[in-house]
Amino acid sequence: MPTTAALPDWPETLTRVPYWVFQREDVYAAEQEKLFRGPCWNYLCLEAEVASPGQYRTSYLGDLPVIVARDQDGELYAFENRCAHRGALLALDNRGTAKDFTCVYHAWTYNLQGDLTGVAFEGGIKGKGGMPESFCKSDHAPRKLRLAVVHGLVFGSLSDDVDDIEDYLGDEIMDRIERVLGGRTPVVIGRYTQMLPNNWKLYVENVKDSYHASILHLFFTTFELNRLSQRGGIIVSENGGHHVSYSAVDRDAERDASYAEQNIRSESGFRLADPSLLDGFSEVGDDTTLQILSTFPAFVLQQIQNSVAVRQILPRAVDRTELNWTLLGFAEDTPEQRTARLKQSNLVGSAGYVSMEDGCVGGFVQRGVAGASDQAAVVEMGGASATSSESRVTEASIRGFWKAYLAAMEIGAGIGTGIRREGVPA
């Protein structure tokens, strides 16, 4: 079992994040056990991707491959994508339709609920060989997951101790998911996958970092989509792990001189050759044009104008992260709305006008801290708290992530008396 007992001390505040947490193999191994295979809900797929009996989708809990399938009884099931015989993958395609799963290696067969139903030559040939009489197929199956569905989002966990999903997320986060997905039928209209040259937590920090959005992203500020002077705010869950950042286009804010005074790169004279890219509509009947929501440890639901998408963040190595984007429309969309969504899909993904910079800036950090494992990042913007705020000039939701991370990883004993290792006085 990976342990955090041998880790260096953590600073006694959430405003300092030691760089070793992005660099150590033992930290990575402990995360797999405690966050991705532990008592957390991790996003797996969309219910729309497994809508009909026989449909399946492969996914991951961290680095553990899983299958999500809808059986003929209409129910969803999820289990480890691993043959109980010699460990080979059962499903080799990302998605498809199947009656069952047969391992290509030795033809052991499993039903859509993950039960072992057939073993090739179980009885041997001509009375010789085969499995012993004591062998019982019901004793041999890949690990099965608990599932929870929230407005079409399928979450999974290997833990029997994880809270029910409603309690895990809390009312505010549930309401904000409902705001985007409730009462509508999601339809997948596109996908992007990119590999990031950095630790997965650097991307999670970036998602929760409302401070950087209109500084790093030239497109946001140039085309008046997101400025810190706009109306908006930050929601941070009580445990710190989940967050929402939201804003509304405010033309009075666009005339505010605060950005010009900063002399930063996101003030530019660029223009679009085709301004219709940004033609859109009120997404859900309110004036919020940007909502970025994350759940602990590694899931994102976005609304950027009319670009609605989910992002699955998957650790692949200490310094490598797989980022899967699934772009959404809705069955209720008009043709004009679908066209707007398809155009605005150019805002996100590895070459997205908005998200392009996020794909490289984490790598800049990973490379920049290579020789600084004994140093720490400064996370003081907006104070030292990890609470909701009417200002987006804050790093409160980043501090919230580390609050939840330390608790889940059992590295610290909380804030107030200082973060300390269990059994060691603060």
Side-chain angles (χ1 to χ4, degrees):
M1 174 74 69
T3 177
T4 57
L7 295 179
D9 289 336
W10 192 280
E12 294 188 2
T13 174
L14 292 175
T15 65
R16 296 293 184 273
V17 178
Y19 292 130
W20 56 255
V21 80
F22 305 114
Q23 300 171 323
R24 293 178 59 120
E25 295 286 351
D26 52 354
V27 171
Y28 181 88
E31 290 167 350
Q32 296 298 320
E33 187 68 30
K34 295 176 182 292
L35 303 184
F36 297 101
R37 297 193 291 271
C40 295
W41 287 108
N42 281 275
Y43 170 79
L44 298 177
C45 66
L46 294 162
E47 193 174 22
E49 297 177 285
V50 283
S52 301
Q55 285 189 315
Y56 71 89
R57 181 81 165 88
T58 58
S59 189
Y60 289 88
L61 286 179
D63 58 14
L64 185 146
V66 301
I67 298 171
V68 182
R70 192 174 295 276
D71 199 2
Q72 299 304 318
D73 63 3
E75 297 296 321
L76 284 177
Y77 298 89
F79 48 94
E80 193 174 4
N81 188 3
R82 174 186 60 84
C83 180
H85 178 215
R86 299 279 290 280
L89 291 171
L90 293 173
L92 301 178
D93 296 327
N94 291 334
R95 63 189 69 84
T97 302
K99 294 180 181 178
D100 51 33
F101 297 98
T102 299
C103 178
V104 68
Y105 199 178
H106 298 95
W108 285 32
T109 301
Y110 303 78
N111 64 21
L112 295 176
Q113 298 185 25
D115 302 317
L116 178 62
T117 57
V119 173
F121 301 112
E122 181 179 0
I125 296 178
K126 297 180 179 181
K128 297 181 180 179
M131 300 298 286
E133 290 185 6
S134 61
F135 178 77
C136 179
K137 287 192 285 291
S138 62
D139 293 338
H140 299 273
R143 287 174 285 186
K144 297 186 179 183
L145 282 64
R146 290 178 60 189
L147 291 181
V149 180
V150 179
H151 296 295
L153 305 173
V154 181
F155 293 87
S157 178
L158 280 173
S159 173
D160 292 328
D161 297 326
V162 64
D163 291 337
D164 290 342
I165 193 72
E166 295 83 4
D167 296 327
Y168 182 83
L169 296 177
D171 291 341
E172 286 186 302
I173 302 301
M174 289 288 291
D175 288 347
R176 286 287 176 158
I177 294 175
E178 182 178 20
R179 176 189 166 273
V180 176
L181 300 179
R184 303 197 281 181
T185 308
V187 176
V188 176
I189 62 172
R191 304 178 195 275
Y192 301 122
T193 293
Q194 63 188 116
M195 298 302 296
L196 307 178
N198 51 263
N199 187 272
W200 69 276
K201 299 184 295 297
L202 287 172
Y203 187 78
V204 172
E205 280 195 327
N206 178 273
V207 166
K208 294 174 178 286
D209 180 4
S210 57
Y211 173 41
H212 89 278
S214 60
I215 299 173
L216 175 67
H217 300 307
L218 180 147
F219 195 92
F220 261 159
T221 307
T222 299
F223 298 103
E224 303 178 350
L225 300 184
N226 183 17
R227 294 190 181 210
L228 294 172
S229 49
Q230 292 173 345
R231 291 181 292 111
I234 298 288
I235 298 170
V236 182
S237 65
E238 185 175 351
N239 71 351
H242 321 304
H243 106 291
V244 180
S245 174
Y246 62 95
S247 63
V249 169
D250 184 340
R251 298 304 172 189
D252 290 336
E254 306 319 324
R255 292 188 287 271
D256 187 283
S258 56
Y259 273 79
E261 293 169 356
Q262 300 298 317
N263 192 30
I264 53 182
R265 69 177 291 275
S266 57
E267 282 286 288
S268 80
F270 287 105
R271 293 295 177 263
L272 286 170
D274 180 8
S276 71
L277 172 73
L278 297 178
D279 289 347
F281 54 94
S282 177
E283 184 61 46
V284 295
D286 59 21
D287 63 354
T288 296
T289 52
L290 183 141
Q291 177 180 293
I292 305 297
L293 179 152
S294 70
T295 69
F296 187 83
F299 168 73
V300 183
L301 169 64
Q302 72 164 54
Q303 175 217 337
I304 302 174
Q305 298 290 96
N306 301 120
S307 175
V308 178
V310 295
R311 310 179 204 169
Q312 183 186 36
I313 304 165
L314 296 174
R316 286 289 171 259
V318 167
D319 58 356
R320 195 160 62 98
T321 301
E322 181 178 336
L323 178 59
N324 295 320
W325 305 72
T326 305
L327 308 177
L328 301 181
F330 298 92
E332 297 79 8
D333 286 344
T334 66
E336 294 77 16
Q337 289 172 331
R338 182 60 55 83
T339 296
R341 294 193 196 285
L342 290 171
K343 284 188 176 183
Q344 291 183 23
S345 68
N346 291 287
L347 298 177
V348 297
S350 56
Y353 293 136
V354 172
S355 62
M356 175 173 52
E357 295 95 341
D358 290 332
C360 61
V361 73
F364 297 165
V365 177
Q366 194 78 40
R367 290 156 56 191
V369 304
S373 60
D374 60 341
Q375 302 296 306
V378 178
V379 191
E380 291 187 15
M381 187 62 64
S385 71
T387 56
S388 301
S389 169
E390 293 183 358
S391 170
R392 290 178 298 130
V393 191
T394 180
E395 292 166 322
S397 50
I398 298 176
R399 292 189 290 269
F401 171 78
W402 291 110
K403 176 182 175 181
Y405 179 90
L406 291 169
M409 291 285 286
E410 301 176 300
I411 291 177
I415 300 298
T417 57
I419 299 174
R420 57 180 174 82
R421 198 168 311 288
E422 230 176 303
V424 179

